[in-house]
Amino acid sequence: MIDRIRLSLLKISVLVALAFSTATASAQLSASLPYKDNAIDSLSANSSYIDEQAFTASKAAKLSSIFDDVNENSLQKKVSVSLNNSRDRRQLMDYLKQLEIGDNNAAGNEARNKTLFKFANLFARLKLYPLAMKCFFKTLQKDKKLKDNEEAAAVDSLEIDTSQNTDLPINTKDDSLAYVQSLQVRSDKSKRTTYENISGTFNDGKQAVAYALLFHVKQPSPGKKKVHVLAYTGHTYITLIKYNTDSTYVSCSFGFYPKKDHLFSATPWFPSTSSQFKNDAGHKWDEIIGKFISRKSFEKILKLTKEYNDVDYHLSYNNCTDFSLQAAGVAGISISNTDGKWFMGHGNNPGVTGQSILQGGYGTTDKQPVTTLFKSLNTSVTEK
């Protein structure tokens, strides 16, 4: 009997020792792991009692403290700096993805729309046009969800391939694409290009889900209806964007230029000269009008570009503004007042065209409401 009691006591002692050693080892292992402030318990995360929206809202609240800046100029600088750092870019994309989450109430929806539109303007000013139009598109989506009228139906008729991914989602691919594009637009010097280079940009072998056009105006004197300042006449150009089903995109900004045959070419004395296209990815601008367009319109604009590849430049009736206005017309954009006079000539020009946009003299020529047009003004104009 005594031996049995001793054997039982021995077993209990061994079990206690094993339990103690296991707890100690577990504590040491936990102490050696890095602490994660935002880590979520895996068991809790799988529980049906966890509110996923609460986690999302908490994450969005932390991100908003970084990018939710009232002052657009300081926010623009902050975003510009963020593009140069991979960690900051990911944080920016996370913030934008949070904005994609819709609200079921008008007040929350309106607040998100304002923020999305603010970022659309910021990205346009940073010359990241595909990302700008993505943000703008999401404001149209939010409006459509809350409206049940003719305008909502018109928004729903935007030329997007509804059989594919119609959300134009912001994701990790925008991270790298935005960085590459930010490097390409740092120089505002426009270099010569050709129709073949322009059209070749869009031959990426990928299926498109959406297309967009942006109409850019650089006035000779920002915010003023001046046709020229000394010899400077400003510039008008366009950007074409192709969004793919795999969430990638390609874009090209370009304008129609004179190719000087001699010193006085493209002047009032010799208004006609040879022509050329230039890559305007980094070109400055004062006003932008943007629009989503159909594949048919996109191809017509490329065809127009090919036609302009073989015609002469003329200061009065075949200049950069003439070409861009024709492209905008194909896209369904109209500008009401674009003509101005100068010494020994007159015609469409950036100074008058830009001022017309500033004063609201623009619209659509198709069934879509004017709210489907993206209008952006650069700081050179808004500060006046």
Side-chain angles (χ1 to χ4, degrees):
M1 176 66 73
I2 294 175
D3 290 337
R4 288 180 179 177
I5 294 173
R6 287 178 177 175
L7 183 59
S8 298
L9 291 173
L10 180 61
K11 289 181 178 179
I12 293 172
S13 299
V14 171
L15 290 172
V16 171
L18 285 172
F20 179 78
S21 62
T22 302
T24 303
S26 178
Q28 290 174 343
L29 178 61
S30 299
S32 67
L33 292 174
Y35 174 68
K36 294 183 178 181
D37 186 27
N38 295 324
I40 299 174
D41 183 83
S42 59
L43 294 176
S44 299
N46 292 328
S47 171
S48 60
Y49 295 101
I50 294 299
D51 186 353
E52 294 183 1
Q53 289 186 348
F55 284 121
T56 302
S58 175
K59 185 177 181 181
K62 291 179 181 179
L63 289 171
S64 66
S65 64
I66 301 171
F67 294 107
D68 192 12
D69 199 318
V70 176
N71 188 311
E72 287 199 15
N73 287 335
S74 61
L75 179 58
Q76 182 174 332
K77 292 177 182 177
K78 190 182 298 182
V79 171
S80 179
V81 171
S82 298
L83 293 171
N84 298 320
N85 182 283
S86 59
R87 180 181 178 182
D88 290 345
R89 283 198 311 275
R90 286 194 298 270
Q91 203 167 33
L92 173 60
M93 296 307 156
D94 283 342
Y95 177 75
L96 293 175
K97 281 187 281 187
Q98 298 306 316
L99 293 177
E100 291 187 86
I101 302 173
D103 284 334
N104 294 324
N105 60 83
N109 185 75
E110 184 179 358
R112 287 184 185 278
N113 273 4
K114 287 182 178 179
T115 306
L116 282 166
F117 194 81
K118 178 190 290 186
F119 273 92
N121 272 293
L122 291 180
F123 288 130
R125 290 173 181 175
L126 293 172
K127 304 180 181 72
L128 305 180
Y129 305 122
L131 201 51
M133 289 301 285
K134 267 192 178 184
C135 290
F136 175 66
F137 176 68
K138 295 182 185 306
T139 67
L140 300 179
Q141 283 185 308
K142 306 295 185 190
D143 282 337
K144 186 183 67 175
K145 289 178 180 178
L146 288 181
K147 295 178 181 178
D148 185 19
N149 52 31
E150 292 182 1
E151 183 171 311
V155 172
D156 194 35
S157 69
L158 283 172
E159 301 290 354
I160 306 293
D161 186 354
T162 55
S163 66
Q164 303 295 335
N165 187 355
T166 62
D167 290 334
L168 298 182
I170 294 171
N171 52 38
T172 53
K173 292 184 179 179
D174 286 293
D175 182 343
S176 57
L177 289 169
Y179 175 65
V180 171
Q181 193 176 15
S182 69
L183 296 177
Q184 295 174 345
V185 302
R186 287 183 178 178
S187 173
D188 58 4
K189 186 176 180 180
S190 298
K191 296 182 179 179
R192 187 178 183 274
T193 187
T194 63
Y195 163 74
E196 289 74 20
N197 290 337
I198 294 168
S199 60
T201 300
F202 304 103
N203 295 329
D204 56 356
K206 296 182 179 182
Q207 184 177 358
V209 66
Y211 299 92
L213 173 139
L214 289 93
F215 178 87
H216 310 253
V217 182
K218 181 70 185 80
Q219 293 178 279
S221 180
K224 296 181 180 179
K225 197 177 179 178
K226 288 188 175 182
V227 174
H228 62 88
V229 174
L230 299 179
Y232 181 57
T233 58
H235 185 49
T236 310
Y237 61 100
I238 64 171
T239 293
L240 289 176
I241 307 170
K242 173 178 174 277
Y243 294 96
N244 298 318
T245 55
D246 65 351
S247 293
T248 61
Y249 53 75
V250 285
S251 67
C252 187
S253 300
F254 59 98
F256 186 67
Y257 283 81
K259 185 180 180 182
K260 293 249 180 191
D261 295 331
H262 52 78
L263 181 62
F264 295 99
S265 293
T267 67
W269 293 276
F270 294 93
S272 183
T273 186
S274 301
S275 67
Q276 61 182 332
F277 285 109
K278 288 188 178 182
N279 187 325
D280 287 327
H283 202 290
K284 295 178 181 179
W285 54 269
D286 295 313
E287 298 88 18
I288 278 181
I289 296 292
K291 189 176 185 294
F292 284 94
I293 62 177
S294 67
R295 177 179 178 177
K296 185 177 180 180
S297 296
F298 180 84
E299 291 175 346
K300 281 186 176 181
I301 294 169
L302 285 180
K303 183 180 179 182
L304 175 70
T305 304
K306 185 178 181 179
E307 292 171 356
Y308 262 79
N309 197 54
D310 299 321
V311 300
D312 286 342
Y313 180 98
H314 194 284
L315 186 61
S316 291
Y317 57 80
N318 210 34
N319 56 40
C320 63
T321 306
D322 289 307
F323 165 74
S324 298
L325 283 172
Q326 285 195 54
V330 174
I333 301 173
S334 64
I335 312 293
S336 60
N337 185 18
T338 59
D339 188 85
K341 294 181 179 181
W342 55 84
F343 176 65
M344 295 176 64
H346 71 91
N348 296 318
N349 65 91
V352 178
T353 301
Q355 202 65 18
S356 184
I357 293 174
L358 276 175
Q359 296 172 355
Y362 59 90
T364 60
T365 58
D366 49 27
K367 296 180 180 179
Q368 296 177 19
V370 71
T371 53
T372 59
L373 296 181
F374 170 60
K375 175 185 175 182
S376 183
L377 306 178
N378 216 333
T379 51
S380 60
V381 175
T382 57
E383 291 176 352
K384 286 188 175 295

